[in-house]
Amino acid sequence: MNAYVLQVLVLAGINVILALGLNLVSGFTGQLSLGHAAFMGIGAYTAALLTKAGQPFLAALTAGGLAAALAGALIGIPTLRLRGDYLAIATLGFGEILRVVALNQKITGGPVGLRAIPGYTTLPIVLIAVALTYLSLVRILGSRLGRAFVAVREDELAADAMGIDTTQTKILAFAVGAFYAGVAGGLYAHYIRYINPSNFGFMRSIEILSMVVLGGMGSLPGAVLGAVALSTLPELLRSVSPAVAQYRQLIYGALLVVAMLWFPQGLAGGGRALPGLLKRLHLPALRRGQHDAA
């Protein structure tokens, strides 16, 4: 396979894992998080430091995920009593604190970052990780815990009145979502083979959130669609022509705006948005179908 295409596919798979993890927190539990990239960074640094010390790759990935999950639980305890914008600001602050800490610690390499990380990540490993992430989330969301997540999203006061420990439920959601982000970070570090704190800043969190929103909040297939679309679209625009490549960021932003206008429920809600789109376009085929139905 062409090395460029291979890299796009691997990074798209890693983004799918990130989007699925954030979708559990924001889409299914209704907690807006702007610090998801920080959990990715914790997993990346933890896994990279362990493999550079000679530890097995699988053990390092697991440790990276668990370290991120622990951080997710710890940040969740004091902040998840907040709601809405206040929670978003708190998670944003948490992400910036971790970035500054990584910039000033010798073990993380400071602003220079970590180099010569073993290149263990391959496309089959990423695909297996994506499949395991998706299937495990299907099982979680189909369980009693998954129903508690959705209940908190729909009406936190009603969920609390029904006996659900809403604070504990939100902390669990943050921990599980952070675990997947940590695993994705470990995969990323062992594919790029170099990481620094700028890889896990605020804009990276916004990028992951955009994938979830574009695909459809509260939809597992939507998270996959959104991550794949936002991972591949810039590269597709780059390959169209030199003129398009020059303005690809402008075109990319315009396409995102159009997509959200036509598909306000996300790409996964396209089946519900498409009839309205066709009606607005006044397609003859649609009018014929309406006359036949009448």
Side-chain angles (χ1 to χ4, degrees), residues 75-155:
I75 189 61
I77 292 171
T79 62
L80 286 182
R81 296 183 182 277
L82 304 174
R83 299 179 184 178
D85 297 341
Y86 299 102
L87 176 60
I89 293 170
T91 54
L92 170 61
F94 168 71
E96 288 302 298
I97 289 171
L98 284 183
R99 187 182 65 83
V100 172
V101 169
L103 278 172
N104 291 279
Q105 294 298 314
K106 185 177 295 185
I107 191 173
T108 61
V112 177
L114 292 180
R115 302 176 183 271
I117 300 171
Y120 292 137
T121 300
T122 62
L123 181 58
I125 289 176
V126 170
L127 292 177
I128 291 171
V130 168
L132 290 176
T133 300
Y134 193 96
L135 293 175
S136 61
L137 282 173
V138 169
R139 294 296 300 271
I140 290 172
L141 294 171
S143 67
R144 182 177 180 180
L145 178 60
R147 293 190 290 273
F149 290 152
V150 176
V152 170
R153 179 193 68 189
E154 295 300 323
D155 192 324

Side-chain angles (χ1 to χ4, degrees), residues 19-42:
L20 287 170
L22 181 58
N23 201 19
L24 177 67
V25 178
S26 298
F28 288 97
T29 315
Q31 308 305 306
L32 181 59
S33 172
L34 295 180
H36 204 62
F39 302 125
M40 179 187 179
I42 291 173

Side-chain angles (χ1 to χ4, degrees), residues 200-287:
F200 314 107
F202 169 66
M203 292 310 299
R204 182 63 167 148
S205 293
I206 293 298
E207 182 183 353
I208 302 167
L209 181 61
S210 298
M211 296 173 185
V212 176
V213 173
L214 178 65
M217 299 282 281
S219 168
L220 293 182
V224 175
L225 285 174
V228 171
L230 292 191
S231 300
T232 58
L233 183 57
E235 307 306 323
L236 292 174
L237 292 174
R238 189 197 302 270
S239 63
V240 171
S241 70
V244 173
Q246 183 178 358
Y247 298 102
R248 68 183 184 278
Q249 294 298 336
L250 178 62
I251 298 171
Y252 174 69
L255 288 174
L256 286 181
V257 172
V258 171
M260 293 313 300
L261 287 174
W262 291 125
F263 302 98
Q265 295 174 328
L267 296 178
R272 295 185 293 274
L274 190 57
L277 170 61
L278 296 176
K279 186 176 182 179
R280 284 191 291 270
L281 293 176
H282 302 291
L283 293 184
L286 180 63
R287 291 202 300 269

Side-chain angles (χ1 to χ4, degrees), residues 47-69:
L49 289 170
L50 288 174
T51 53
K52 285 172 69 70
Q55 298 300 316
F57 178 50
L58 181 59
L61 272 185
T62 305
L66 292 175

